[in-house]
Amino acid sequence: QQQVRQSPQSLTVWEGGTTVLTCSYEDSTFNYFPWYQQFPGEGPALLISILSVSDKKEDGRFTTFFNKREKKLSLHIIDSQPGDSATYFCAASAGSNNRIFFGDGTQLVVKP
Amino acid sequence: EAAVTQSPRNKVTVTGGNVTLSCRQTNSHNYMYWYRQDTGHGLRLIHYSYGAGNLQIGDVPDGYKATRTTQEDFFLLLELASPSQTSLYFCASAGGNTEVFFGKGTRLTVV
């Protein structure tokens, strides 16, 4: 059973638009939810993360939202730029010393 | 910045061949991981380790062996490579703060 489900699989937005990626998870013990960004030819790198005690975290144009009741999280990118074109992975874990589970990724293309 | 170095970056081998992928991290992280990445499947965990000499089975371990010789070094072994193992392989490490640091990947082609 997949622990973290991510949608959509791929997404194209216009420059300046808002991108919304969503994930859902199964395990109620998960309390740490990072998002990773991967550019072609590179490994994934941490973009932003949120703990289950919060419902929102912002870092510049990137905001992640967390809904504990619905077991859902999302990543919003405002004023999307062509340089944001990448694959985005949501992930979840039960904290340090626990395995992290990744979603299948969303391939984002931002068109100028 | 945590550093995870993989070698080789590209490898072509024949079906039935023997392949070793190497990974070294220099950040004293306890946890090391091997993932494969395929279109439509995201990152799938093959094997992982909590420390030197420790090995844990991931979600797609069939056809792979791993060995953690030191805290820094983690190897992935394919003893009878098959075309289904053609993939992009990532090594990663993590310390106690949960952030996972990935290498740049090894592209393996089995012909």
Side-chain angles (χ1 to χ4, degrees), chain A residues 32 36 38 42 96-97 99, chain B residues 31 37 59 96 98 100 104:
Chain A
Y32 171 69
Y36 281 76
Q38 182 185 25
E42 300 287 328
S96 58
N97 303 321
R99 221 195 101 170
Chain B
Y31 302 92
Q37 184 176 20
D59 298 324
T98 68
V100 180
K104 291 184 179 294

Side-chain angles (χ1 to χ4, degrees), chain B residues 21-42:
Chain B
L21 306 185
S22 301
C23 177
R24 166 166 282 203
Q25 56 95 4
T26 56
N27 300 285
S28 301
H29 286 167
N30 290 330
Y31 302 92
M32 295 188 75
Y33 309 87
W34 277 108
Y35 291 91
R36 61 178 289 174
Q37 184 176 20
D38 305 286
T39 303
H41 292 281

Side-chain angles (χ1 to χ4, degrees), chain B:
Chain B
E1 177 72 16
V4 179
T5 304
Q6 293 183 235
S7 62
R9 295 293 313 279
N10 291 281
K11 176 75 176 178
V12 179
T13 191
V14 296
T15 299
N18 203 319
V19 177
T20 298
L21 306 185
S22 301
C23 177
R24 166 166 282 203
Q25 56 95 4
T26 56
N27 300 285
S28 301
H29 286 167
N30 290 330
Y31 302 92
M32 295 188 75
Y33 309 87
W34 277 108
Y35 291 91
R36 61 178 289 174
Q37 184 176 20
D38 305 286
T39 303
H41 292 281
L43 295 162
R44 292 187 288 177
L45 183 63
I46 304 170
H47 289 296
Y48 60 110
S49 167
Y50 294 145
N54 175 270
L55 288 172
Q56 303 293 322
I57 295 172
D59 298 324
V60 289
D62 292 347
Y64 302 95
K65 291 183 179 179
T67 178
R68 180 90 178 266
T69 54
T70 65
Q71 185 168 20
E72 293 79 19
D73 298 303
F74 197 29
F75 300 93
L76 186 67
L77 294 79
L78 292 73
E79 294 184 330
L80 287 172
S82 74
S84 65
Q85 294 175 308
T86 292
S87 187
L88 180 59
Y89 291 87
F90 284 102
C91 177
S93 73
N97 66 351
T98 68
E99 182 176 353
V100 180
F101 295 87
F102 287 83
K104 291 184 179 294
T106 294
R107 186 164 294 281
L108 175 67
T109 303
V110 184
V111 298

Side-chain angles (χ1 to χ4, degrees), chain A residues 44-89:
Chain A
L46 181 65
L47 176 65
I48 191 170
S49 64
I50 191 168
L51 296 172
S52 59
V53 294
S54 301
D55 55 15
K56 177 183 175 181
K57 187 171 181 182
E58 205 170 323
D59 185 358
R61 295 184 295 108
F62 300 87
T63 302
T64 183
F65 295 90
F66 175 67
N67 185 320
K68 188 171 185 175
R69 182 179 61 82
E70 295 187 7
K71 294 185 182 177
K72 290 184 177 179
L73 56 153
S74 62
L75 177 69
H76 294 231
I77 308 173
I78 62 171
D79 188 26
S80 300
Q81 299 296 308
D84 297 332
S85 297
T87 299
Y88 293 80
F89 293 96

